[in-house]
Amino acid sequence: MAVFFTVALLAMACPLMAFDMGQSTRCVAIPNQMKVCKDVGYSEMRLPNFLGHSNLEGEVVPRSEDWRPMLQTGCHPQAQAFLCSLIAPVCLDTFIQPCRSLCVAVRDSCAPVLACQGHPWPEELDCDRFPTEEDMCLTPHAKFGHIAKDLPKPACQNCPSVDLAPAMKTVLDAFCQHDFAVTAKLHRRRLPMGEPEFDVEGRVEFIRQGPLLPYDTQHLLQQWLLINLQCANALLRPGRSQLYVLTGSVQRDGTLALTRLFPWHKKDTSIAVATRKWKHYRC
């Protein structure tokens, strides 16, 4: 998963603007196996697409899957619309490209996710290549600029420390020193099969809630795992689940930072005692 974007970079070896708007195209149904563009809002696409792919089964579908891990992070609410407008352009009487403003919005949110995996934003998706808003193009939705602006959001970070078999005082001090503390069972699938490789099983239990919201925290932690794959790989073995106590803070810019993690095994009575004592503990 850490090299997921490499194939996508190779797939776009031809510059986008080399696409000939005057060439003959055909309309085809978006196939069911093209999961990336499922429920994108239309059912037919043009071939060749804006990346120059003309073979549906041999090029378009397999190469579209290279984008799935990035989309699963939820880096931008219109990332799917932006990418699908290129790999599966809507079949209308005229070509509809993404606007430059949409590219900028998606790039500014998703490029840090790619950087976290060691990949730059593709040169072929240089936003200056796309038309401005005066042309007929796919624009960003204004409503997305205000969605969840006050919610904590995951970001790329240095991996948090992991304390094995900590003393009770160590755990209590961690609760005191951070904005929040939660327990969550993290899971890593042995074979992703197109689904997210990492997820959070069951409910997230709050020890210290801080700025986190109950309805958003499980999704927030899963996004953190999918963005910080190097850290997630170190926390879990394939096919395994592990209960963790996670502590951290929300930064001034609203990003979540996990700082100190404690794997909670049945034999770790100190963690159990610390969680019970916390309600009456004075920092």
Side-chain angles (χ1 to χ4, degrees):
M1 295 291 278
V3 296
F4 73 86
F5 206 59
T6 303
V7 180
L9 291 174
L10 295 175
M12 293 187 294
C14 297
L16 175 69
M17 299 312 289
F19 178 83
D20 182 5
M21 293 289 190
Q23 71 178 298
S24 176
T25 63
R26 58 192 173 96
C27 294
V28 298
I30 297 177
N32 292 331
Q33 62 268 35
M34 194 171 176
K35 305 296 185 183
V36 165
C37 295
K38 182 180 180 181
D39 301 325
V40 73
Y42 51 90
S43 59
E44 287 192 325
M45 57 177 282
R46 281 187 181 273
L47 284 180
N49 62 19
F50 283 128
L51 300 183
H53 304 151
S54 57
N55 187 318
L56 188 63
E57 301 297 332
E59 291 180 295
V60 178
V61 172
R63 289 177 178 176
S64 70
E65 286 299 301
D66 298 321
W67 299 95
R68 182 192 288 272
M70 188 191 78
L71 294 178
Q72 288 172 339
T73 68
C75 55
H76 190 278
Q78 281 189 276
Q80 181 196 33
F82 170 69
L83 291 173
C84 289
S85 71
L86 300 174
I87 60 180
V90 62
C91 194
L92 297 175
D93 293 336
T94 186
F95 291 97
I96 305 295
Q97 296 185 72
C99 290
R100 186 177 303 172
S101 57
L102 176 58
C103 176
V104 169
V106 174
R107 180 200 63 195
D108 289 353
S109 293
C110 297
V113 172
L114 298 182
C116 201
Q117 313 301 327
H119 302 292
W121 184 253
E123 183 180 350
E124 288 76 12
L125 296 187
D126 179 357
C127 294
D128 289 340
R129 298 177 182 268
F130 297 102
T132 61
E133 306 244 358
E134 287 75 27
D135 299 305
M136 189 173 181
C137 54
L138 185 64
T139 60
H141 295 314
K143 65 177 183 178
F144 288 133
H146 303 284
I147 284 181
K149 65 177 182 179
D150 297 324
L151 296 179
K153 52 185 179 291
C156 184
Q157 66 164 88
N158 293 328
C159 294
S161 64
V162 178
D163 290 39
L164 302 175
M168 179 189 68
K169 183 68 164 53
T170 300
V171 179
L172 287 170
D173 286 346
F175 294 167
C176 288
Q177 294 163 4
H178 298 96
D179 293 342
F180 64 84
V182 302
T183 63
K185 181 177 284 189
L186 310 182
H187 176 68
R188 180 179 180 182
R189 292 183 174 86
R190 188 175 296 277
L191 294 174
M193 297 299 290
E195 296 300 318
E197 185 176 6
F198 296 93
D199 60 18
V200 179
E201 292 184 334
R203 294 179 57 186
V204 174
E205 301 289 343
F206 290 94
I207 300 170
R208 181 175 189 176
Q209 183 171 333
L212 302 184
L213 298 175
Y215 66 85
D216 182 62
T217 301
Q218 181 178 6
H219 179 62
L220 177 67
L221 293 176
Q222 179 166 346
Q223 286 184 311
W224 185 93
L225 291 169
L226 295 174
I227 291 172
N228 294 277
L229 287 178
Q230 182 178 359
C231 304
N233 284 327
L235 294 175
L236 297 162
R237 289 182 291 173
R240 296 296 184 89
S241 297
Q242 176 60 53
L243 181 65
Y244 274 93
V245 174
L246 306 99
T247 65
S249 301
V250 175
Q251 309 301 309
R252 289 185 177 181
D253 62 357
T255 57
L256 177 87
L258 294 181
T259 309
R260 204 164 186 181
L261 278 57
F262 304 97
W264 191 349
H265 303 283
K266 291 182 179 180
K267 62 182 179 180
D268 294 326
T269 57
S270 59
I271 296 179
V273 173
T275 58
R276 290 198 301 267
K277 284 184 174 289
W278 169 246
K279 291 183 180 181
H280 308 288
Y281 189 75
R282 292 185 179 182
C283 295

